[in-house]
Amino acid sequence: AQSVTQLDSHVSVSEGTPVLLRCNYSSSYSPSLFWYVQHPNKGLQLLLKYTSAATLVKGINGFEAEFKKSETSFHLTKPSAHMSDAAEYFCVVSDNQGGKLIFGQGTELSVKP
Amino acid sequence: NAGVTQTPKFQVLKTGQSMTLQCAQDMNHNSMYWYRQDPGMGLRLIYYSASEGTTDKGEVPNGYNVSRLNKREFSLRLESAAPSQTSVYFCASSGQQGARWETQYFGPGTRLLVL
């Protein structure tokens, strides 16, 4: 069965410093992996996705993630945090049947001025 | 092009009441999904419809029913609401039936409070 673990429930950074949100996955086959962002009281927006092409995936708003099969990780990074990045971030793996998504528990990112 | 829309945005029910959450998409997508979001638990799949005319249970289907009315619309019904169903409900859609690489597009959510 597929599963996702987000290693931090809350991350706090200062504006202008790097962001690292950690995600490990478990999958019995080559997975599709996603990062979604949810701003307060909003729906979810896709940041980026990995679908077995390039292992370094670039997304919107300067975010990127690297798929590391040997470490079963898909960490999300951004070189310089902006106040508008404050939100909840979900790492997601896609099930092999029907395209169902399996969500991690979420990481809340706070950005201090 | 509105994407995925959900109604209502907010609802308060008393225990035992029924209601239907509506979802519609205008992207000509084949697959549609209903999730619930609870604090600290991410989103969990309630039901999904891989294509028009089919529906299947997800991770937490108990207490819910769904109807895929047509290709555009997918409704979620609570027959007898319970306080444990207090949650935020999200509808999503994706283009290709059953393709695990497909992006899912989410609606803005419905906040449901059951007293």
Side-chain angles (χ1 to χ4, degrees), chain A residues 27-70:
Chain A
S27 178
S28 56
Y29 53 85
S30 182
S32 290
L33 292 159
F34 307 77
W35 276 98
Y36 280 85
V37 61
Q38 184 181 30
H39 288 93
N41 299 314
K42 299 288 186 182
L44 282 78
Q45 180 185 19
L46 179 71
L47 274 180
L48 50 80
K49 67 178 179 181
Y50 167 77
T51 58
S52 75
T55 56
L56 182 62
V57 182
K58 294 187 183 298
I60 62 171
N61 300 334
F63 284 94
E64 63 181 37
E66 186 172 7
F67 173 73
K68 292 187 176 180
K69 186 176 180 179
S70 61

Side-chain angles (χ1 to χ4, degrees), chain A residues 59-106:
Chain A
I60 62 171
N61 300 334
F63 284 94
E64 63 181 37
E66 186 172 7
F67 173 73
K68 292 187 176 180
K69 186 176 180 179
S70 61
E71 300 177 8
T72 61
S73 69
F74 190 56
H75 301 336
L76 182 70
T77 61
K78 182 174 181 178
S80 176
H82 191 273
M83 295 298 292
S84 61
D85 294 328
E88 187 149 23
Y89 292 78
F90 292 97
C91 183
V92 183
V93 64
S94 181
D95 193 275
N96 195 34
Q97 297 177 352
K100 293 178 289 184
L101 298 183
I102 299 163
F103 282 76
Q105 299 90 333

Side-chain angles (χ1 to χ4, degrees), chain A residues 30 36 38 41 94 96, chain B residues 33 37 100-101 103-104 111:
Chain A
S30 182
Y36 280 85
Q38 184 181 30
N41 299 314
S94 181
N96 195 34
Chain B
Y33 309 81
Q37 182 179 26
R100 66 175 187 263
W101 55 85
T103 299
Q104 288 190 18
R111 293 182 176 275

Side-chain angles (χ1 to χ4, degrees), chain A residues 10-21 63 78-83 85-86 89 108-113:
Chain A
H10 187 259
V11 170
S12 182
V13 301
S14 297
E15 191 174 20
T17 64
V19 175
L20 170 64
L21 305 183
F63 284 94
K78 182 174 181 178
S80 176
H82 191 273
M83 295 298 292
D85 294 328
Y89 292 78
E108 185 179 356
L109 175 65
S110 300
V111 182
K112 298 174 290 186

Side-chain angles (χ1 to χ4, degrees), chain B residues 4-32:
Chain B
V4 180
T5 57
Q6 293 182 235
T7 56
K9 291 185 179 179
F10 182 72
Q11 184 71 47
V12 180
L13 292 178
K14 294 181 180 179
T15 297
Q17 287 185 318
S18 62
M19 78 162 295
T20 299
L21 282 64
Q22 305 286 354
C23 173
Q25 52 90 9
D26 62 2
M27 295 174 284
N28 200 35
H29 283 170
N30 287 308
S31 301
M32 298 185 74

